[in-house]
Amino acid sequence: DAGVIQSPRHEVTEMGQEVTLRCKPISGHDYLFWYRQTMMRGLELLIYFNNNVPIDDSGMPEDRFSAKMPNASFSTLKIQPSEPRDSAVYFCASSRSGELFFGEGSRLTVL
Amino acid sequence: AQSVTQLDSQVPVFEEAPVELRCNYSSSVSVYLFWYVQYPNQGLQLLLKYLSGSTLVKGINGFEAEFNKSQTSFHLRKPSVHISDTAEYFCVATSGTYKYIFGTGTRLKVLA
């Protein structure tokens, strides 16, 4: 079985540019989560979806961040405009019965 | 509010020695507990989980953990570690609402 697939694995961009991170969850999983990991703050939940519907986006830092899940097999996390403090590893995870399955992460560097 | 505390940020241990990584949680409701491992530049993967039943849970790679309700602990143990166990370990709790609370992580460094 393919796991959670994230792209790109690495992204280097300049401040002010738009960044789009992508995630394909495991087939059949009805929950999808976006996390951000930094040395200073550890793992933070940004948003999660159930059956493609956003349930809790209280962790989204500000209006520059947005997430969508147009169908059960695809989600995006967009940052516009990006800032250096957004530099982090962004993880997508999916779940069906309580256990979280993580992707390999997208490492974002904003210069 | 639910919280997870990992008491040690770093644990150095010699190869083939036993190790215990400590985790305490606070919750006023039933709790489900997990341990995840993160190798460098990788995502997190599940080591073991406690949902109900036996309080001693066995996981992959020879790890086990014991759920102790009276002490609100879920410590992770391995009787003999290998160099390949060097990684960061996260204790995670949820009350079943799909809001997972992560500990701050413990870096296990296995020394030759």
Side-chain angles (χ1 to χ4, degrees), chain B residues 57-73:
Chain B
V57 180
K58 293 192 183 296
I60 62 171
N61 301 341
F63 284 93
E64 64 180 33
E66 185 154 19
F67 172 62
N68 188 318
K69 190 173 182 179
S70 62
Q71 297 190 5
T72 61
S73 68

Side-chain angles (χ1 to χ4, degrees), chain B residues 42-61:
Chain B
Q42 293 188 26
L44 284 72
Q45 63 184 81
L46 184 71
L47 270 180
L48 48 79
K49 59 187 175 186
Y50 172 78
L51 303 180
S52 65
S54 173
T55 57
L56 182 63
V57 180
K58 293 192 183 296
I60 62 171
N61 301 341

Side-chain angles (χ1 to χ4, degrees), chain B residues 73-109:
Chain B
S73 68
F74 191 56
H75 300 333
L76 180 70
R77 301 185 183 99
K78 186 169 182 178
S80 175
V81 295
H82 302 288
I83 295 286
S84 59
D85 293 322
T86 294
E88 188 152 20
Y89 293 79
F90 292 91
C91 182
V92 184
T94 180
S95 57
T97 61
Y98 282 92
K99 193 118 184 185
Y100 295 84
I101 308 299
F102 284 75
T104 51
T106 298
R107 289 186 182 274
L108 174 63
K109 173 76 172 172

Side-chain angles (χ1 to χ4, degrees), chain A residues 9 31 33 35 37 39 43 45 48 56 58 91 95-104 107, chain B residues 34 36 38 41-46 49 51 88 90 92 94 97-100 102-104 107:
Chain A
R9 288 294 313 277
Y31 283 84
F33 303 78
Y35 287 90
Q37 186 178 40
M39 290 292 291
L43 268 162
L45 175 66
Y48 77 94
D56 184 351
S58 59
F91 287 104
S95 179
R96 186 181 66 180
S97 55
E99 177 183 338
L100 286 172
F101 291 81
F102 284 82
E104 296 284 292
R107 182 176 294 276
Chain B
F34 306 80
Y36 281 81
Q38 185 179 26
N41 299 315
Q42 293 188 26
L44 284 72
Q45 63 184 81
L46 184 71
K49 59 187 175 186
L51 303 180
E88 188 152 20
F90 292 91
V92 184
T94 180
T97 61
Y98 282 92
K99 193 118 184 185
Y100 295 84
F102 284 75
T104 51
R107 289 186 182 274

Side-chain angles (χ1 to χ4, degrees), chain B residues 3-41:
Chain B
S3 67
V4 174
T5 302
Q6 291 184 243
L7 298 164
D8 305 299
S9 59
Q10 293 188 70
V11 173
V13 62
F14 285 104
E15 195 173 18
E16 297 183 11
V19 70
E20 178 180 83
L21 306 184
R22 297 180 291 168
C23 172
N24 286 89
Y25 67 92
S26 67
S27 176
S28 58
V29 297
S30 297
V31 66
Y32 307 108
L33 295 159
F34 306 80
W35 275 99
Y36 281 81
V37 60
Q38 185 179 26
Y39 299 103
N41 299 315

